[in-house]
Amino acid sequence: MKPLMAVITALLLLGCCHISMASVQNDDDDIKGTYIVHMAKSEMPASFEHHTHWYDSSLKSVSDSAEIVYTYENAIHGFSTRLTSQEAELLMARPGILSVLPELRYELHTTRTPEFLGLDKSADFFPESDSVSSVIVGVLDTGVWPESKSFVDTGMGPIPSTWKGKCETGTNFTAGNCNRKLIGARFFAKGYEATLGPVDETKESKSPRDDDGHGTHTASTAAGSVVEGASLLGYATGTARGMATRARVAVYKVCWMGGCFSSDILAAMDSAIADGVDVMSMSLGGGMSDYYKDSVATGAFAAMEKGILVSCSAGNAGPTSYSLSNVAPWITTVGAGTLDRDFPASVSLGNGRNYSGVSLFKGNSLPAKLLPFVYAGNASNSTNGNLCMMDSLIPEKVAGKIVLCDRGVNARVQKGAVVKAAGGLGMVLANTAANGEELVADAHLLPATSVGEKFGNEIKKYLNSDPNPTVTIFFEGTKVGIEPSPVVAAFSSRGPNSITPQILKPDIIAPGVNILAGWSGAVGPTGLATDTRRVEFNIISGTSMSCPHVSGLAALLKAVHPEWTPAAIRSALMTTAYVTYKNGQKLQDVATGKDSTPFDHGAGHVDPVSALNPGLVYDLTVDDYLSFLCGLNYTAAQITSLARKQFSCDSSKKYSLNDLNYPSFAVNFDSTGGASVVKHTRTLTNVGSAGTYKATISGQASGVKISVAPETLRFDQANEKKSYTVTFTGSKMPMNTNVFARLEWSDGKHIVSSPIAVSWT
């Protein structure tokens, strides 16, 4: 079986490693599949001493052979089990059963960022001692490489007394692998094994150990210790550090070679809640169905009730519209932007023209002369030979030459391995229209560089016009100060929100391109089986990488403001995010080359120093979210599945999705009607000094008139709350028209900013 990292790398390097969750059930009535059973705990008959006895009795009433895989105590009330489709239908009819949902499979959605975010100049703002060290970040991923220097516990005090978790023993992992930094490590494989059979312990560790790299990378990004002299093969040399270097880390291994199964994810969330984590970081996907059907959304609801902020990646399905996942309003959804750092490697042609590209290749350089150059499509008998698929190149036409391959389908680094196997000396990898000008650097196995679509097309013209084309590649190391930056990554998933259009997502963007962080010692930097190199740090890209940035920043804010709710922390991050560069120009989208929009960047790019003192926040309680569910017209059973308690919507009350106290605005007009009016009510809580805030609307918003009442809010004391209403008066506009604006409240010291997206559907 292919190592999971190879599969993920293939997907990641195509810009699509966060895949929509998929059912793993079989329609054959005799075939068993895994189901997650939600129970109405309050309906347990008095004859049962404990709810687990009731669960077991309910299961045995429909199947003599079925056994409980997991019992869930915190994330949901219920259990998971293996049933045929007929048995599942019978169980659904039993008393106290809220739902019987099929198992879903999820996939994983990787030095410079502390400086880029301003944390290097802000040590005085963020305490790095007792308060931060009491915060625990739980990371649900592929596990951890505990020997990584990112998890050294030098100078850390005793483990917080709030911690109830443990360090589990398994293949190549003992309790001794944990320390005062890495305070917990668990693994969850029962759901995986129920579907795919036993974990092959000769290929991956049945333990918290990370044989893949992804989990170590995300955990060290969120809260890795300070490591001097870090680099990948000499690239991005400097001091590596997580966002919250003094926070504690607890890892929960839920992803295996065969994927990440919802029964395992839910069990990990269940444990993380009980263990006492403060922040839950999940760089994996799903979440593109109703919230009560999505295990991440249901588990996150329970975590939110316990005061745990849940940060999730938005997905890597951009720049397609409606491609977001993890969009529940109680989840902080994170998209990806670039850094101001690059790894240039230029292409020099025989005609004297030079074209810039990027590469992380480190090894024997090319000979100091121009070499023969060939297009892969002309050196293959395959119809898609231009893609440099496995065994597609003709060695006699490739040997001793540099090969131009087109990007697409298979992993970028794998294309280089194909060229090398056929005797090629190097590779130029050209983007097609699918990826445009977005460049992601790779630790290639042979001298290689990636170029954008425009340069790729010009290089192909040269190849087609010169009878004896030649080329060489120059590797220029690491460069910083690249402008403009950040720009929204093309792969970053985009809005609008396909489940609840009234909630603008993503919430925010953070660094997610070419991120240096810790790595597993079990695989090479490319994840390919043929890559025998071993590195302590790796540079990879994806919303998987931007998510733990926000998770770590949330931990810092939690340490400074322990009384803040998850909604308050998210609000502080969102309302202080920026959408313009220092020169006043708007953030750019690499996919279009134009200004990015709130559907791309949400509230904007995270600015942690400003988030520390936001002035005002938009707070939310559990009751607010319950009212939101009523506004979705969820049934009592569906709400109970999420809330884990009996709750009925008030039939005499009119619930409006527009009134959820969210730090952003998504307004939807019917394009088939005439002029219409939509109102949104919000409440601001003062978390700063006394002051008077005035509202202003900025940005072009043709087709809609926006007014705020009242236009001035006076706050005299801490935690004081004031409400206001925004009225949107829309004129008739064509279907699929989107316009954007921004609402700002300012007292002269703080700017509390909210994005506005207005759509005609």
Side-chain angles (χ1 to χ4, degrees), residues 48-85:
F48 293 98
E49 293 184 7
H50 195 269
H51 61 272
T52 55
H53 301 156
W54 178 40
Y55 297 170
D56 190 60
S57 176
S58 299
L59 180 58
K60 291 294 188 284
S61 70
V62 299
S63 172
D64 292 331
S65 60
E67 295 183 354
I68 290 176
V69 177
Y70 289 110
T71 298
Y72 305 109
E73 305 279 351
N74 305 294
I76 67 167
H77 289 154
F79 60 94
S80 51
T81 186
R82 300 278 290 175
L83 299 169
T84 65
S85 58

Side-chain angles (χ1 to χ4, degrees), residues 670-703:
D670 184 352
S671 61
T672 62
S676 55
V677 176
V678 173
K679 294 189 176 185
H680 287 233
T681 299
R682 295 289 191 273
T683 300
L684 285 162
T685 302
N686 182 32
V687 294
S689 56
T692 299
Y693 286 78
K694 294 183 178 180
T696 57
I697 301 290
S698 61
Q700 299 297 318
S702 57

Side-chain angles (χ1 to χ4, degrees), residues 47 117 170 193 264 268 325 357 362 403 437 439 476 546 555 593 666 745:
S47 56
L117 294 172
E193 292 187 321
D264 292 329
S325 59
K362 191 73 171 181
V403 182
E437 301 308 311
L439 298 179
E476 302 169 49
S546 54
W745 290 94

Side-chain angles (χ1 to χ4, degrees), residues 218-243:
T218 54
S220 58
T221 297
S225 300
V226 175
V227 182
E228 296 180 356
S231 74
L232 168 63
L233 306 174
Y235 286 97
T237 300
T239 299
R241 48 162 288 177
M243 296 299 98

Side-chain angles (χ1 to χ4, degrees), residues 408-631:
V409 183
N410 55 331
R412 298 189 302 266
V413 291
Q414 190 179 66
K415 295 173 189 287
V418 171
V419 170
K420 187 175 183 180
L425 296 181
M427 176 181 69
V428 175
L429 182 60
N431 280 4
T432 62
N435 300 102
E437 301 308 311
E438 178 171 68
L439 298 179
V440 179
D442 299 311
H444 291 286
L445 295 168
L446 83 171
T449 187
S450 297
V451 298
E453 180 192 12
K454 180 182 176 181
F455 287 169
N457 289 339
E458 292 186 22
I459 294 170
K460 289 173 194 174
K461 287 180 183 178
Y462 167 71
L463 277 167
N464 291 328
S465 61
D466 193 309
N468 296 297
T470 56
V471 68
T472 192
I473 302 171
F474 294 102
F475 300 94
E476 302 169 49
T478 304
K479 288 192 176 181
V480 296
I482 305 298
E483 297 294 347
S485 61
V487 297
V488 179
F491 61 73
S492 187
S493 288
R494 314 302 173 96
N497 184 333
S498 61
I499 300 177
T500 315
Q502 297 85 351
I503 302 296
L504 181 62
K505 291 279 185 170
D507 291 314
I508 205 163
I509 62 169
V513 178
N514 294 336
I515 304 302
L516 178 77
W519 197 245
S520 169
V523 289
T526 65
L528 297 177
T530 54
D531 189 354
T532 58
R533 298 172 297 179
R534 294 296 180 264
V535 296
E536 293 184 344
F537 292 86
N538 199 7
I539 295 173
I540 55 178
S541 302
T543 55
S544 280
M545 286 62 254
S546 54
C547 167
H549 277 88
V550 169
S551 305
L553 296 176
L556 288 177
L557 291 179
K558 181 73 173 178
V560 178
H561 301 287
E563 75 284 2
W564 281 7
T565 65
I569 293 173
R570 175 178 56 199
S571 174
L573 291 167
M574 289 176 65
T575 61
T576 58
Y578 62 90
V579 293
T580 59
Y581 302 112
K582 292 179 180 178
N583 63 6
Q585 298 297 309
K586 293 182 178 180
L587 291 188
Q588 297 293 293
D589 177 5
V590 73
T592 62
K594 300 177 182 178
D595 295 347
S596 62
T597 77
F599 288 150
D600 310 320
H601 60 234
H605 192 281
V606 65
D607 181 358
V609 177
S610 296
L612 186 66
N613 181 21
L616 307 173
V617 296
Y618 294 87
D619 209 353
L620 284 161
T621 66
V622 175
D623 287 342
D624 292 322
Y625 289 120
L626 291 173
S627 294
F628 170 79
L629 299 178
C630 291

